[in-house]
Amino acid sequence: MDAAEEPLPPVVYTMENKPIVTCAGDQNLFTSVHPALSQQLPREPMEWRRSYGRAPKMIHLESSFVQFKEELLPKEGNKALLTFPFLHIYWTECCDTEVYKATVKDDLTKWQNVLKAHSSVDWLIVVVENDAKKKNKTNILPRTSIVDKIRNDFCNKQSDRCVVLSDPLKDSSRTQESWNAFLTKLRTLLLMSFTKNLGKFEDDMRTLREKRTEPGWSFCEYFMVQEELAFVFEMLQQFEDALVQYDELDALFSQYVVNFGAGDGANWLTSFCQPVKSWDGLILRKPIDMEKRGLIQRQEAALLDLRSYLFSRQCTLLLFLQRPWEVAQRALELLHGCVQELRLLEVSAPPGALDCWVFLSCLEVLQRMEGCCDRAQIDSNVAHTVGLWSYATEKLKSLGYLCGLVSEKGPNSEDLNRIVDLLAGLGAERPETANTAQSPYKKLKEALSSVEAFEKHYLDLSHATIEMYTSIGRIRSAKFVGKDLAEFYMRKKSPQKAETYLQGALKNYLAEGWALPITHTRKQLAECQKLLGQVENYLQTSSLLASDPHLTAEERKHFCQEILNFAQRQADSPGHKIVLPMHSFAHLRDLHFTPSNAVVHVGGALSVEITVCSQMPVPVPVEQIAVSVHFSVEKNNYRKTAEWLTKHKMSHGGVNFPAETMPFPVSQNSLPALELHEMFERSPSDNSLNTTGIICKNVHMLLRRQESSTSLEAPSGVALEDGAHVLRCSSVTLEPGANTVTFRTQAKEPGTYTLRQLCASVGPVWFVLPPIYPLVQYDVYSQEPQLRVEPLADSLLAGIPQKVKFTVTTGHYTVKNGDSLQLSNVEAMLILCHTENRAVIYSNAREKASDASLWVQSSDKVTSIGLPAAPAYHLIEFELEVLSLPSAPATGGESGVLGVTELHRKHKNTQEAGHCMATTDHKVSIDCPWSIYSTVIALTFSVPFRTTHTLLSAGTRKYVQVCVQNLSELDFQLSDSNLADIGDSTDLQLIPLNTRSQQPLPSKQSVFFVWELKWVGVPPPPLRGQFSVDFSPASAEQLSISLKPYTYDFQLENFFTLYNVKAEIRPPSGAELCRTGSLCSLEVSITRLSDLLDVDRDDALTQSDEYFSTKLLYEGAVMRHGGTGALCCSLWTTVAIGQCVGKALVSSPCPWLPRPLTECTWRSCPSLRVTCRFPTSGCLNTSHIILRTPPNWTLIAGLKTTACRWTNTWMTSRTAAASRAGAVCTRSPAASTRACPCPGSRRCCLARSSTPAQGRRSWSSPAQTTMSSKSVSHDDAFGRPTPRVCARALRGPDSVALHCNMLSLTRLLGVPLGHGNI
């Protein structure tokens, strides 16, 4: 093995770099197999498993086979992986033992000793067997082969490090198998060595990075180490891993720069703070820029050198990864980042140097992408490259301004010197771009060479950028570039070209709400409009700038003075009016009407006070402020009377207008939040849900148009409204801030007036606010005279003086002295005249104008009321007292029983109506002086009393009871009650039982009066009664007039008694009481007390001189109400009744019973119904008696069987005469206070039996109990309520007294007796 002493050539870092494998031994042998080995090694992929849990990858191994030299072995501290030999191979084809011992063994020993000296353990011995050489051999083969000797001598523990390659140059199956085994072994050893050495390199690199906080640490040294790892990954074609290494270096350096800007700087950063001397831009046409890499390796690189080299390597790897659009994205970030890093590191650079570097870099990146992509790909990915175009345009504009290439006169000597210095900093053009016609270097040099060339290049770049931005929908960015282009045209004195771009930019800023750019653009636009002579546009823009708070006070005053100067110049030579929007000049804050309801009559005065906030910085003299008014007459204007307008108009008289609108639309982020609410629609028939949804209640605030196709700064097209109705105020000076302006007018025509437009004139300049919103209106009405009469109280009471208010609305009529109201008198209503009556006159705004005396004259038919003189559209109010004669509604000519029946039926069906007062309407005709027609008014009086009468019976004696109930809220005092027979019958006599002459009647209470009826002759004559009583309010003072008494008329007929019916249930013979399970007998006794009437004689069964016989049918039944029970039994009989007492005894067993008597028990409250039928005049009249019994009572054969003996008595008469009876049962006193179990009962005799202090009159019988069918309580003869009948079961020796009414059965001629009227 020869060791060459000549120095090694420098390593060239290219993509052709491969892992180094050294070859020692027979070089001629290796040379013969090298082509086949280099070709077949990368064919099969190998799985590369890395440490730290990184995913395995399949890689193709390639190697660079070089001759073994000791100089190739790595020395201590060498960190270059590309020059590191990963595997050492010794080649030999020795097949002779002697040769092996003489030369090969010694050579192998020396080779291994060198490897051991450099700690290299990755080696392989390849023995090539050649059959031809074996055949030429004459000596006998030794007992052991050469391979065995080598393995024994050098591979004792690693026998796999020696492989045999058989006839590598032959084409045979044995040779192919040998090759495959050898290649597999070679790949495995090479990958093992590569993984081991790469892992050790990464550990060393990581250790070096962790020492970055030590004082002597150098970023450039670390950069070279980690880039070596990136080269290895790139050599293995793992471009993603290689890119990660450069990204880590980029992030590490950026973090150090940021820390330096924050005050935490590293010492090694000082080498990057040297001034910028070269600004030749990025170099992307070389895979590796060895020049800049050498600067980094020598730690002489500037910041731009490091960034340029680092990005060039990232660009190369991204292009290998087929991600060219990421190159553009990273390039834009790099260029902006480098500018910021130079500022953070305070690196000095000549003016324009960074602009040149950025411009060249942008074009270099764009041309590099064009070189690796076709035109279709470039056009479809404009969004990635347009940023570079825009940045290049911006930097070229800066260079043009810096070098004087945009001024009208061109660059001066100083500018030319600056151009020369900038071109010198570019250096010579690089060889790789020297032959390119449109290289970045040539474009920049040409653009800086002359004004025309600069304009050409700048316009080309600007238009291309605008077109790209527009094509991808980035309108804002396109307008921004257009604004820069407009500035260029303004410097070139071409305002007509600049205006379009300025308008477009301003429109975009207004739509998005950028306040400061709006102000800046308006200033430029104002200058452009002034140069173009656009007076109206210039004045509008000046007014906007004069009110812009983002300008200084001096600038605002300047633009305001421009408007005033123009107005002063045009005042001497008046011309056409210039109409401008008012929102920039002033805004309307609030408005107030006088009168406050904005309603005025024809001829009335109206004032409108507005508050105008001037936005000008100085006081502005305004010739006049006018408000145009739109007049309209609605179809239903007849409704708009003063009263109607007062109810439907605002009362505060003021309108607050929205705050000053922004000079630009609100941005999307400041829009109000959604106000979402649920919405349900239900069916009107069954209220079922039909649809549901969500509605937005503030959609009018959200759906606003943000942009318009027309310019926002162009004249708005407002026009002055010329009309007949204008409110004016002249010679007003608007101070900065709030100003109050008052308009006064006199109403002429009736209708609705809408304030449409507010105008302020400053010479020929008119500032217009159309329309005024929210809607502001005032109404003018022409009202007809009206008369309104209304009571002062909620209701008028009949019988006592009541005050009535008269309101005369004069309208357009003027009331003169002598005008009067003529009221036709009503017989039942009086108008009370007092000596002194006053009338009050009010203005239309309810302000008291005056008061005057009022004269009232009354005659038999007419009452005259003299009106005081009053002007038009005033009110005359006065009060008069009226009196309605009291009387109760007359009852019909039916009997008293019929009246009671109708009353109860009405009370049952209309229970609530019973507490309402009866009303009486009085219609009064009034003749007014302003009309030929009479006005009819109706006054409704409520009768404060409700009166009822009742006929009461006690045996054969009759009593008339009159109940007077106070339904009003007042307390009355009653006196002098009287009941008279107005029929003038001498056979009737009314004896009063009332002892008190005066009786108080509180509100909602009743008073009862009782008279006894006595008559001579049978039958008695009808009673035509008239009840009268004097009354007066209890709390009233002495009245000036005497009140009429209250009267009530009624009539009673047929009120004498015909029959006396008596029924008694007896216990079985030998028993003292009726007991459960035993059958009892029923005894009914019917007695006629008077002769039959003529109408009854026709129905008599028999007729003789002594008496007439009639037939009575009696039927009894036990029925179950509201349960599951059934009819137990029924019994009936027919009894002939003559003059004597007729008796029908029903005893048990009864021959007519359809079945044996059975026992029935109910758990709910049953009813015992007994029916008496009287066949009269061909119809069946029925009365019912219902006995309600509590639960757990037992009834047999329709009779109650309890531990008591009771008797029922009926008295049949012509009237509902009442008698008294009682019963005494045994029951414990403790149970007497329990509530009655009867459903629906209002009062229970048991519940009230223990309260004798109430003073109830009662009659008791120890062996009688009365049955009653009354379902509601009634009143006794003395006006006290009587409870319904209720009985209880008796258990044991208990006793309690029951007090009940004994009611009569009434037989009416031809009229059935209803249920509950017994």
Side-chain angles (χ1 to χ4, degrees):
M1 184 179 64
D2 299 330
E5 299 296 336
E6 63 271 12
L8 294 173
V11 178
V12 178
Y13 294 92
T14 64
M15 279 298 299
E16 287 73 21
N17 288 339
K18 300 173 185 179
I20 296 176
V21 177
T22 63
C23 297
D26 192 347
Q27 294 296 322
N28 294 328
L29 175 61
F30 170 72
T31 303
S32 63
V33 300
H34 179 264
L37 182 60
S38 301
Q39 183 180 2
Q40 295 184 24
L41 179 63
R43 284 185 179 179
E44 296 294 334
M46 293 290 293
E47 185 181 21
W48 184 25
R49 295 184 177 272
R50 303 179 61 190
S51 58
Y52 300 105
R54 286 173 283 191
K57 296 182 180 181
M58 302 299 293
I59 61 174
H60 294 266
L61 290 175
E62 294 185 80
S63 296
S64 176
F65 296 94
V66 298
Q67 184 178 0
F68 176 79
K69 295 179 181 179
E70 188 176 355
E71 292 79 6
L72 293 176
L73 297 177
K75 299 179 176 60
E76 187 68 24
N78 186 7
K79 297 182 176 62
L81 279 178
L82 290 180
T83 59
F84 182 83
F86 291 95
L87 186 62
H88 306 276
I89 303 177
Y90 187 90
W91 296 85
T92 180
E93 59 175 353
C94 177
C95 59
D96 190 354
T97 305
E98 298 300 330
V99 175
Y100 169 73
K101 291 180 179 181
T103 59
V104 174
K105 184 176 181 180
D106 295 337
D107 195 24
L108 274 172
T109 302
K110 292 180 181 179
W111 175 68
Q112 281 205 345
N113 290 335
V114 173
L115 294 179
K116 290 178 181 180
H118 291 83
S119 301
S120 180
V121 295
D122 299 314
W123 50 269
L124 179 66
I125 300 174
V126 180
V127 179
V128 178
E129 294 182 349
N130 194 335
D131 293 339
K133 289 188 176 182
K134 289 182 179 181
K135 291 179 180 181
N136 296 330
K137 191 175 180 183
T138 57
N139 57 345
I140 302 173
L141 289 175
R143 286 178 294 180
T144 58
S145 63
I146 299 300
V147 175
D148 295 333
K149 288 183 178 292
I150 294 175
R151 287 175 178 173
N152 292 330
D153 295 338
F154 303 100
C155 308
N156 291 328
K157 298 180 181 181
Q158 294 176 321
S159 59
D160 57 337
R161 294 300 180 98
C162 180
V163 297
V164 177
L165 183 60
S166 301
D167 291 331
L169 301 180
K170 287 187 177 181
D171 186 11
S172 63
S173 58
R174 181 169 176 268
T175 301
Q176 188 62 39
E177 292 176 2
S178 177
W179 264 112
N180 292 337
F182 169 68
L183 292 174
T184 301
K185 190 64 175 180
L186 181 59
R187 293 189 190 107
T188 302
L189 293 177
L190 184 60
L191 187 59
M192 289 173 57
S193 174
F194 183 80
T195 303
K196 179 183 63 176
N197 289 282
L198 187 61
K200 184 176 183 301
F201 184 85
E202 287 180 334
D203 293 339
D204 295 341
M205 181 190 71
R206 199 172 295 111
T207 303
L208 180 62
R209 184 173 59 211
E210 291 174 355
K211 295 179 180 181
R212 61 185 179 276
T213 57
E214 297 179 1
W217 191 82
S218 173
F219 176 79
C220 292
E221 294 181 3
Y222 177 75
F223 181 92
M224 303 305 295
V225 172
Q226 190 159 1
E227 189 188 25
E228 191 78 16
L229 180 61
F231 284 151
V232 173
F233 286 124
E234 184 180 1
M235 178 181 62
L236 296 176
Q237 297 186 1
Q238 301 301 312
F239 304 116
E240 191 69 45
D241 293 332
L243 182 61
V244 168
Q245 308 308 315
Y246 287 109
D247 290 342
E248 289 179 357
L249 290 171
D250 189 352
L252 182 62
F253 185 79
S254 299
Q255 187 61 47
Y256 271 104
V257 174
V258 172
N259 294 342
F260 183 87
D264 184 15
N267 296 331
W268 54 267
L269 273 174
T270 55
S271 62
F272 294 98
C273 296
Q274 53 185 311
V276 177
K277 299 178 181 178
S278 175
W279 42 88
D280 54 350
L282 297 176
I283 301 175
L284 304 180
R285 301 175 192 262
K286 295 179 179 179
I288 300 176
D289 189 351
M290 298 304 298
E291 180 182 356
K292 286 186 171 51
R293 189 176 188 275
L295 293 175
I296 297 172
Q297 191 171 12
R298 296 190 300 271
Q299 300 185 8
E300 298 175 358
L303 177 65
L304 294 182
D305 296 331
L306 175 66
R307 284 299 185 184
S308 297
Y309 175 77
L310 186 58
F311 181 76
S312 67
R313 293 296 302 140
Q314 291 172 325
C315 175
T316 301
L317 295 173
L318 287 172
L319 293 179
F320 282 134
L321 291 171
Q322 302 296 319
R323 286 148 59 180
W325 314 119
E326 191 174 341
V327 174
Q329 178 182 352
R330 289 182 176 228
L332 192 60
E333 296 174 358
L334 168 74
L335 299 178
H336 286 284
C338 284
V339 175
Q340 297 299 325
E341 288 175 351
L342 289 172
R343 293 176 183 174
L344 289 176
L345 296 178
E346 300 177 357
V347 176
S348 61
L354 290 181
D355 296 333
C356 291
W357 183 80
V358 172
F359 178 79
L360 292 173
S361 299
C362 289
L363 295 187
E364 177 70 13
V365 174
L366 292 173
Q367 290 189 2
R368 185 72 178 92
M369 294 182 63
E370 290 177 359
C372 63
C373 302
D374 55 18
R375 175 52 56 183
Q377 290 178 322
I378 294 175
D379 294 340
S380 61
N381 291 276
V382 173
H384 300 281
T385 59
V386 67
L388 294 173
W389 286 98
S390 176
Y391 205 15
T393 305
E394 178 185 346
K395 292 306 176 182
L396 184 60
K397 181 194 72 171
S398 300
L399 289 172
Y401 289 171
L402 180 65
C403 299
L405 298 174
V406 186
S407 61
E408 296 182 49
K409 300 179 181 180
N412 52 26
S413 58
E414 183 180 355
D415 297 332
L416 293 176
N417 292 332
R418 186 176 293 111
I419 293 174
V420 172
D421 293 339
L422 290 176
L423 293 178
L426 298 179
E429 186 175 7
R430 295 187 288 268
E432 57 269 13
T433 61
N435 299 325
T436 304
Q438 295 294 327
S439 65
Y441 181 86
K442 291 185 176 66
K443 283 188 177 183
L444 179 59
K445 190 173 182 179
E446 182 181 355
L448 297 178
S449 61
S450 64
V451 175
E452 294 77 9
F454 174 82
E455 181 176 353
K456 174 182 177 301
H457 284 284
Y458 178 69
L459 293 180
D460 290 343
L461 285 175
S462 298
H463 289 302
T465 304
I466 293 174
E467 183 179 355
M468 291 180 188
Y469 275 132
T470 305
S471 64
I472 61 176
R474 293 178 59 179
I475 305 301
R476 182 197 309 167
S477 301
K479 299 298 183 182
F480 187 78
V481 178
K483 183 173 178 293
D484 294 341
L485 194 57
E487 294 179 5
F488 173 78
Y489 282 126
M490 290 297 296
R491 285 179 174 264
K492 287 291 186 178
K493 299 301 180 182
S494 299
Q496 66 278 2
K497 296 181 181 180
E499 184 189 14
T500 303
Y501 294 105
L502 290 175
Q503 291 282 12
L506 182 60
K507 172 184 174 181
N508 186 72
Y509 294 149
L510 286 170
E512 298 184 359
W514 298 95
L516 292 177
I518 287 173
T519 303
H520 184 260
T521 307
R522 277 179 177 159
K523 289 175 63 178
Q524 294 175 315
L525 187 61
E527 180 185 357
C528 180
Q529 292 167 345
K530 188 175 183 179
L531 293 175
L532 293 175
Q534 299 176 356
V535 178
E536 184 174 349
N537 294 344
Y538 177 66
L539 292 176
Q540 179 179 346
T541 306
S542 297
S543 66
L544 291 169
L545 292 171
S547 60
D548 197 330
H550 299 96
L551 291 178
T552 62
E554 293 300 324
E555 289 176 316
R556 294 180 61 191
K557 290 179 181 179
H558 165 72
F559 288 106
C560 182
Q561 196 62 40
E562 288 286 306
I563 300 174
L564 298 179
N565 293 340
F566 175 81
Q568 187 176 3
R569 290 195 304 267
Q570 295 298 321
D572 302 333
S573 57
H576 71 283
K577 297 179 181 179
I578 298 178
V579 182
L580 301 177
M582 185 181 281
H583 66 83
S584 60
F585 177 73
H587 71 274
L588 192 59
R589 190 177 70 183
D590 53 53
L591 180 146
H592 294 274
F593 283 104
T594 304
S596 61
N597 58 358
V599 178
V600 65
H601 59 79
V602 174
L606 177 76
S607 64
V608 182
E609 182 181 285
I610 64 173
T611 301
V612 179
C613 294
S614 174
Q615 300 181 155
M616 296 294 103
V618 296
V620 178
V622 180
E623 294 181 4
Q624 76 170 7
I625 297 179
V627 178
S628 63
V629 181
H630 176 72
F631 172 71
S632 62
V633 179
E634 298 182 5
K635 294 180 180 180
N636 58 348
N637 196 49
Y638 65 90
R639 296 178 54 201
K640 293 196 172 182
T641 61
E643 180 181 2
W644 186 91
L645 289 170
T646 302
K647 291 180 179 179
H648 292 78
K649 294 289 287 188
M650 55 188 176
S651 60
H652 53 83
V655 177
N656 294 322
F657 296 94
E660 178 188 2
T661 57
M662 301 291 292
F664 44 84
V666 182
S667 63
Q668 196 73 19
N669 295 331
S670 59
L671 289 176
L674 288 173
E675 294 182 7
L676 299 178
H677 297 267
E678 296 179 354
M679 181 268 298
F680 302 97
E681 289 187 2
R682 297 185 179 275
S683 173
S685 59
D686 56 356
N687 200 32
S688 62
L689 185 63
N690 286 344
T691 59
T692 182
I694 297 177
I695 59 174
C696 178
K697 290 193 174 182
N698 60 341
V699 65
H700 60 285
M701 302 180 65
L702 296 170
L703 299 182
R704 294 179 177 177
R705 190 173 182 180
Q706 296 296 319
E707 278 193 62
S708 177
S709 57
T710 59
S711 172
L712 297 177
E713 288 299 292
S716 58
V718 294
L720 289 173
E721 293 186 1
D722 296 330
H725 304 279
V726 179
L727 306 179
R728 290 187 175 88
C729 187
S730 302
S731 301
V732 178
T733 300
L734 295 181
E735 299 289 339
N739 300 267
T740 301
V741 182
T742 303
F743 303 93
R744 293 179 175 84
T745 184
Q746 186 174 11
K748 296 181 180 179
E749 300 180 45
T752 301
Y753 294 80
T754 305
L755 278 60
R756 297 282 294 271
Q757 191 179 76
L758 178 64
C759 308
S761 63
V762 182
V765 182
W766 286 75
F767 294 95
V768 180
L769 179 65
I772 296 178
Y773 183 82
L775 196 66
V776 180
Q777 294 178 335
Y778 68 90
D779 289 278
V780 178
Y781 65 92
S782 176
Q783 187 177 9
E784 296 293 329
Q786 294 180 357
L787 173 64
R788 186 172 67 253
V789 181
E790 54 188 356
L792 292 180
D794 294 338
S795 62
L796 297 175
L797 296 180
I800 59 176
Q802 299 286 287
K803 286 187 177 183
V804 178
K805 180 181 177 181
F806 287 75
T807 303
V808 177
T809 304
T810 62
H812 60 76
Y813 180 79
T814 301
V815 180
K816 302 174 291 295
N817 288 325
D819 290 345
S820 63
L821 302 177
Q822 305 293 327
L823 280 71
S824 61
N825 292 338
V826 181
E827 181 178 358
M829 187 187 74
L830 302 177
I831 298 177
L832 306 180
C833 302
H834 298 281
T835 57
E836 182 66 22
N837 290 306
R838 306 293 294 179
V840 183
I841 302 174
Y842 295 95
S843 66
N844 198 39
R846 294 297 300 178
E847 297 177 355
K848 184 177 180 180
S850 63
D851 58 355
S853 61
L854 190 74
W855 57 266
V856 181
Q857 294 180 353
S858 180
S859 62
D860 294 339
K861 295 183 178 180
V862 178
T863 299
S864 299
I865 304 174
L867 298 177
Y873 296 101
H874 277 63
L875 299 177
I876 304 175
E877 292 184 355
F878 56 90
E879 298 176 1
L880 293 179
E881 285 189 344
V882 295
L883 177 64
S884 175
L885 299 181
S887 62
T891 59
E894 302 294 333
S895 66
V897 175
L898 180 61
V900 173
T901 301
E902 293 298 327
L903 177 63
H904 280 292
R905 184 163 59 248
K906 178 179 180 181
H907 181 73
K908 180 179 180 181
N909 296 335
T910 58
Q911 189 172 358
E912 297 296 332
H915 301 283
C916 298
M917 294 183 286
T919 58
T920 303
D921 292 337
H922 298 293
K923 294 185 178 180
V924 181
S925 176
I926 305 177
D927 294 333
C928 304
W930 54 80
S931 176
I932 61 175
Y933 302 102
S934 298
T935 302
V936 179
I937 63 172
L939 295 177
T940 301
F941 290 84
S942 300
V943 180
F945 307 121
R946 182 167 66 92
T947 307
T948 58
H949 69 282
T950 307
L951 183 63
L952 306 175
S953 299
T956 58
R957 300 176 65 179
K958 305 298 179 182
Y959 300 88
V960 176
Q961 174 187 276
V962 178
C963 175
V964 180
Q965 183 180 2
N966 182 7
L967 300 178
S968 67
E969 301 294 335
L970 295 178
D971 296 338
F972 288 94
Q973 187 75 22
L974 304 183
S975 62
D976 299 335
S977 61
N978 183 41
L979 177 61
D981 181 13
I982 60 176
D984 297 332
S985 175
T986 59
D987 294 339
L988 284 177
Q989 184 181 2
L990 295 171
I991 300 175
L993 302 180
N994 310 300
T995 58
R996 301 175 60 180
S997 61
Q998 291 190 350
Q999 183 77 25
L1001 182 56
S1003 173
K1004 306 300 182 182
Q1005 300 297 324
S1006 301
V1007 173
F1008 296 87
F1009 303 93
V1010 180
W1011 285 265
E1012 184 178 359
L1013 270 173
K1014 292 187 177 181
W1015 64 90
V1016 178
V1018 177
L1023 171 63
R1024 295 180 59 193
Q1026 184 181 59
F1027 169 77
S1028 64
V1029 63
D1030 291 339
F1031 68 97
S1032 63
S1035 60
E1037 298 179 357
Q1038 186 66 30
L1039 298 176
S1040 59
I1041 61 171
S1042 59
L1043 302 179
K1044 298 291 183 179
Y1046 171 74
T1047 61
Y1048 170 71
D1049 297 338
F1050 62 93
Q1051 184 174 349
L1052 292 176
E1053 294 179 352
N1054 300 328
F1055 47 82
F1056 61 95
T1057 304
L1058 285 178
Y1059 298 94
N1060 186 2
V1061 181
K1062 198 171 186 180
E1064 184 177 3
I1065 298 178
R1066 297 182 179 277
S1069 59
E1072 182 181 359
L1073 300 174
C1074 297
R1075 298 186 180 277
T1076 303
S1078 61
L1079 297 179
C1080 305
S1081 61
L1082 170 65
E1083 181 179 302
V1084 179
S1085 174
I1086 303 173
T1087 305
R1088 180 188 295 165
L1089 301 180
S1090 62
D1091 294 337
L1092 292 177
L1093 299 178
D1094 293 339
V1095 66
D1096 296 331
R1097 294 176 184 269
D1098 298 338
D1099 297 332
L1101 299 178
T1102 59
Q1103 183 176 356
S1104 64
D1105 296 335
E1106 297 181 358
Y1107 66 91
F1108 290 88
S1109 176
T1110 59
K1111 183 181 293 185
L1112 173 66
L1113 175 65
Y1114 175 80
E1115 180 180 348
V1118 178
M1119 301 182 65
R1120 168 70 190 274
H1121 290 269
T1124 58
L1127 179 66
C1128 289
C1129 63
S1130 63
L1131 49 94
W1132 56 271
T1133 183
T1134 301
V1135 182
I1137 303 175
Q1139 287 286 355
C1140 62
V1141 177
K1143 293 185 178 180
L1145 179 61
V1146 182
S1147 60
S1148 178
C1150 300
W1152 54 82
L1153 288 178
R1155 63 180 65 86
L1157 297 178
T1158 59
E1159 179 179 339
C1160 298
T1161 301
W1162 291 275
R1163 293 188 179 180
S1164 60
C1165 188
S1167 299
L1168 173 63
R1169 177 175 297 175
V1170 180
T1171 304
C1172 297
R1173 300 182 180 178
F1174 298 88
T1176 59
S1177 303
C1179 63
L1180 191 62
N1181 299 312
T1182 306
S1183 63
H1184 300 278
I1185 299 178
I1186 299 176
L1187 174 64
R1188 299 187 182 275
T1189 59
N1192 300 329
W1193 280 38
T1194 303
L1195 295 105
I1196 298 179
L1199 305 177
K1200 183 183 68 165
T1201 57
T1202 60
C1204 72
R1205 184 163 173 246
W1206 49 279
T1207 303
N1208 295 334
T1209 303
W1210 293 270
M1211 301 180 69
T1212 307
S1213 64
R1214 290 288 183 179
T1215 64
S1219 63
R1220 285 289 180 175
V1224 176
C1225 299
T1226 58
R1227 187 164 178 82
S1228 62
S1232 62
T1233 59
R1234 295 177 58 187
C1236 175
C1238 302
S1241 63
R1242 297 167 58 187
R1243 297 182 180 93
C1244 178
C1245 60
L1246 292 180
R1248 301 175 60 89
S1249 61
S1250 60
T1251 56
Q1254 296 180 359
R1256 176 178 304 279
R1257 293 182 58 188
S1258 62
W1259 295 267
S1260 300
S1261 174
Q1264 293 182 355
T1265 299
T1266 303
M1267 296 191 301
S1268 174
S1269 64
K1270 295 284 286 182
S1271 60
V1272 295
S1273 64
H1274 66 281
D1275 299 330
D1276 62 11
F1278 298 92
R1280 294 170 298 189
T1282 302
R1284 77 171 59 188
V1285 177
C1286 181
R1288 284 191 177 271
L1290 298 181
R1291 307 297 184 198
D1294 301 337
S1295 64
V1296 64
L1298 305 179
H1299 303 281
C1300 315
N1301 285 332
M1302 175 59 70
L1303 303 181
S1304 63
L1305 288 172
T1306 305
R1307 178 172 177 239
L1308 301 178
L1309 294 177
V1311 179
L1313 191 61
H1315 174 72
N1317 291 308
I1318 298 177

